[in-house]
Amino acid sequence: MIQSIDHLGIAVRSLDEAIPLYEKSFGLTCLGREEVASQRVRTAFFDAGGVHIELLEPTSPESPIAKFIAEKGEGIHHIAFRTDDISAQLKQAADTGVRLIHAEPFEGAAGKLVAFLHPKSTRGVLTEFCAVKPGAVAAH
Ligand code: ZN
């Protein structure tokens, strides 16, 4: 079951250039940075009342984020829903005709399990399901 919006992913060219907007202009606190090598991104997280903002900077021209920025510019990249059962959530989506990018969840930022749905099946919105790994304590 979907429990909440977990975070919004925002594609940026540079974390160092984007972080001051969230810290100085919006007054949010950066909770941390992390590199997710499998996705070729560096992330920075902010908490906005329980919903996180996840800034995504590409680490390589081959990064999906680099391709997104090249095509569309910086901006909202994806919405992530937190679920208590990511496998059941993926099955429900697939069973109702939604195209999955990842049929099996993998480890994303903050040690969460994540999987993406194809935006062509979700009205143009790249959609992520994420779940805290069984036995893990959510860092953010
Ligand atoms: Zn995400």
Side-chain angles (χ1 to χ4, degrees):
M1 192 169 81
I2 286 177
Q3 299 169 311
S4 65
I5 293 176
D6 187 82
H7 62 271
L8 298 173
I10 298 177
V12 300
R13 286 190 185 85
S14 156
L15 290 181
D16 288 336
E17 288 174 15
I19 284 172
L21 174 70
Y22 289 85
E23 285 190 328
K24 295 198 171 73
S25 305
F26 299 166
L28 299 174
T29 302
C30 184
L31 300 176
R33 295 186 188 212
E34 184 178 345
E35 184 160 341
V36 184
S38 64
Q39 296 296 294
R40 285 163 290 186
V41 293
R42 260 187 291 275
T43 68
F45 282 89
F46 299 82
D47 178 58
V51 176
H52 287 180
I53 303 294
E54 178 187 75
L55 302 183
L56 301 157
E57 172 196 75
T59 57
S60 136
E62 302 305 310
S63 165
I65 297 299
K67 290 175 184 164
F68 178 91
I69 291 172
E71 283 175 25
K72 299 181 177 173
E74 294 181 305
I76 292 183
H77 177 260
H78 67 274
I79 182 168
F81 294 105
R82 189 184 312 152
T83 170
D84 58 359
D85 187 339
I86 194 165
S87 296
Q89 208 72 54
L90 288 168
K91 182 177 184 321
Q92 181 179 348
D95 286 351
T96 55
V98 175
R99 194 168 135 204
L100 308 181
I101 295 177
H102 307 103
E104 298 291 336
F106 61 96
E107 192 164 318
K112 286 176 185 160
L113 291 174
V114 304
F116 286 85
L117 312 181
H118 201 286
K120 288 209 167 109
S121 305
T122 51
R123 306 283 153 186
V125 179
L126 178 60
T127 302
E128 172 185 339
F129 292 145
C130 68
V132 176
K133 273 204 307 193
V137 176
H140 46 81

